[in-house]
Amino acid sequence: MTRKILSFLDGIFKGRREHYLIVEERDGRFEATRAALDGERKNIFVLRRRTVGNPGDIRRPWRPPAKIIFSLSGQKAATAEGVIAVRRGAPGERIAGEELEQLVFKALWEFLNRYRPWAGKKLKAPDVDLILSDIQVRDVLLDDRRIFNPIGFDGREISFRLRGTFIGRSVLPLVAKFRSWGPVTVVEGGSILADAVPEDGEWLALPNEAGTPIYRRLEGESAFEGEVSWDIRRIAESVRRELLLEEEDLPELFRRYELGEVSDKLKRLMDAIIRNGLAELGDTVHAHVVKGHPESRPRVYFHLRLPLAPQAEWLKYLRGGILRLDERLERENFTIEVKEPAAGFSPTRDQATLALLLYSYDAPKYGFLNGVLRRRARWLIPGF
């Protein structure tokens, strides 16, 4: 089953501009981005960007967004994607509507049995407090045939690739007011970004100020796998301590360093600090992967929100790849236009925003199945 999020030829984009509001939790604050997609012309418009202390400070857009996407940290949301296979009792008979309802119900029940205990442990929440905030069909196989609507077809086994997000009830106040603005989807941001990893990769490391969560993406499953203690502040803190600077001086120093406006001596010092920091990150992540999964050797990808554009030489320090969704978009002939109110947006640094913007939450081809699935989910686990 395909795992790519950029299925440009599958009808995700409908030839008209759609407006989105993307709210991302980052290091205890929230980035609110208003953006629009014009799929026919392959244009992405980043219209406005604002950092707030809590979502309640976000102002309602004058244009109602087609979708509101909440990307929460791994402490507040747990997103998993897995393949659930269901055997049919009468494989030679064509699937009717009533049987499809039962097949979907069995797949949903198995998904919950498999991932609800995992989500509770990850979120440190009792089962009674867990809410299934979103559930979707991502792919369907009837035996070895990919199919959009199984009604009228026969087969021995049907496999649903389901993607669901669990949250604790304490998260509901964060998103409550936005439900009157438009359709709200809540996801674990790292899990969505992991779907953007190229086909040669199995792991994604996402350093932040609290640590480095690691996601594993396999053919049959994609989810958070673990975390290591390396945090993104280490490099900037090393520079600050070495040069006896105040924290507020660091952004200007990194800007001048990137533009080549520092002395050779200072450049060599900063080169060494960055090199050592990235090598330490690479060693820590690879040690975690090898220790927990000695059979795994595929490429590890990294996404680093440093105040610097990624450099080619970083690859040898990290011993892995750097996620560049913006480069893949460029190869697909997309343009990204950043308006002045969104001047803080950077296509190289804000890979997660691009992934959330492009992700097809309700692919039209599975609209019918998603309708069946959500009816069952609302009956089984009341969400919001």
Side-chain angles (χ1 to χ4, degrees):
M1 294 185 184
T2 182
R3 300 170 301 184
K4 294 182 179 179
I5 68 167
L6 297 178
S7 301
F8 296 124
L9 302 180
D10 284 348
I12 291 176
F13 299 109
K14 307 303 292 181
R16 59 188 177 88
R17 187 182 295 194
E18 288 194 326
H19 286 252
Y20 295 77
L21 173 62
I22 299 173
V23 183
E24 301 170 72
E25 183 182 14
R26 289 181 178 167
D27 300 317
R29 297 179 66 78
F30 293 85
E31 295 273 6
T33 304
R34 286 174 45 204
L37 283 175
D38 185 335
E40 183 177 10
R41 297 175 177 82
K42 292 193 172 185
N43 294 331
I44 296 172
F45 304 92
V46 185
L47 306 173
R48 183 176 296 273
R49 193 172 183 86
R50 183 185 177 203
T51 302
V52 296
N54 63 77
D57 296 330
I58 300 172
R59 298 174 182 173
R60 183 170 186 157
W62 66 270
R63 180 194 295 269
K67 294 175 184 176
I68 302 168
I69 304 165
F70 262 83
S71 170
L72 300 180
S73 71
Q75 288 75 44
K76 292 188 176 73
T79 296
E81 190 168 307
V83 176
I84 309 295
V86 182
R87 303 281 291 189
R88 295 186 64 215
E93 297 182 5
R94 296 179 184 274
I95 297 173
E98 184 177 348
E99 184 189 2
L100 181 61
E101 290 266 355
Q102 292 303 315
L103 293 170
V104 169
F105 176 79
K106 289 179 181 179
L108 173 61
W109 186 257
E110 175 59 29
F111 183 89
L112 294 174
N113 285 339
R114 183 186 301 181
Y115 293 110
R116 184 158 52 179
W118 166 83
K121 182 178 179 181
K122 180 176 181 290
L123 299 175
K124 298 181 175 62
D127 189 77
V128 69
D129 283 342
L130 286 180
I131 292 174
L132 186 66
S133 68
D134 188 55
I135 184 74
Q136 293 180 355
V137 175
R138 304 293 300 157
D139 207 355
V140 181
L141 286 183
L142 185 57
D143 293 336
D144 59 350
R145 298 167 292 170
R146 178 164 286 107
I147 195 165
F148 298 152
N149 185 345
I151 290 180
F153 294 86
D154 59 21
R156 182 180 299 106
E157 183 179 83
I158 187 167
S159 297
F160 298 94
R161 187 176 185 91
L162 301 181
R163 176 188 147 274
T165 297
F166 296 87
I167 61 173
R169 293 186 184 278
S170 62
V171 174
L172 291 179
L174 282 177
V175 299
K177 83 167 189 176
F178 297 91
R179 294 172 62 188
S180 64
W181 296 11
V184 177
T185 299
V186 179
V187 296
E188 180 188 0
S191 183
I192 301 304
L193 191 55
D195 278 346
V197 169
E199 290 294 326
D200 68 340
E202 181 178 312
W203 302 90
L204 176 66
L206 294 173
N208 58 50
E209 291 188 2
T212 299
I214 300 172
Y215 293 81
R216 191 180 192 189
R217 192 198 65 177
L218 299 173
E219 189 68 25
E221 185 174 71
S222 178
F224 170 83
E225 190 276 338
E227 187 167 352
V228 295
S229 60
W230 196 94
D231 66 81
I232 199 69
R233 296 174 299 178
R234 294 194 185 191
I235 291 177
E237 276 296 302
S238 295
V239 171
R240 187 187 65 79
R241 288 195 304 267
E242 188 70 26
L243 299 177
L244 302 176
L245 295 175
E246 298 296 330
E247 188 171 348
E248 56 267 25
D249 297 328
L250 289 174
E252 177 62 16
L253 174 62
F254 278 108
R255 187 190 71 82
R256 294 179 60 185
Y257 165 80
E258 191 166 37
L259 293 174
E261 297 176 353
V262 297
S263 68
D264 290 343
K265 181 178 180 181
L266 180 54
K267 181 181 184 304
R268 287 193 299 270
L269 173 64
M270 293 183 68
D271 285 346
I273 292 174
I274 293 169
R275 177 175 65 246
N276 293 338
L278 295 179
E280 183 184 26
L281 170 61
D283 289 344
T284 302
V285 170
H286 284 283
H288 173 89
V289 169
V290 170
K291 181 179 179 181
H293 306 273
E295 81 291 350
S296 180
R297 290 293 182 272
R299 189 173 177 85
V300 178
Y301 278 82
F302 295 80
H303 174 47
L304 302 134
R305 281 184 56 81
L306 288 170
L308 301 169
Q311 303 297 314
E313 61 265 25
W314 291 6
L315 302 180
K316 60 184 177 183
Y317 310 141
L318 294 167
R319 292 186 290 128
I322 295 176
L323 188 62
R324 291 299 302 271
L325 187 53
D326 57 311
E327 291 182 349
R328 207 183 321 173
L329 282 168
E330 186 176 352
R331 291 194 296 270
E332 294 284 347
N333 297 317
F334 270 73
T335 61
I336 301 174
E337 184 177 339
V338 181
K339 301 295 185 180
E340 186 175 348
F345 177 87
S346 166
T348 60
R349 187 179 64 248
D350 292 306
Q351 299 284 293
T353 308
L354 292 176
L356 291 162
L357 184 60
L358 292 170
Y359 205 82
S360 176
Y361 293 97
D362 284 304
K365 59 187 178 183
Y366 295 121
F368 172 74
L369 280 173
N370 276 320
V372 174
L373 179 65
R374 284 167 180 156
R375 284 199 303 273
R376 287 289 185 170
R378 281 196 296 269
W379 174 80
L380 198 58
I381 296 186
F384 68 98

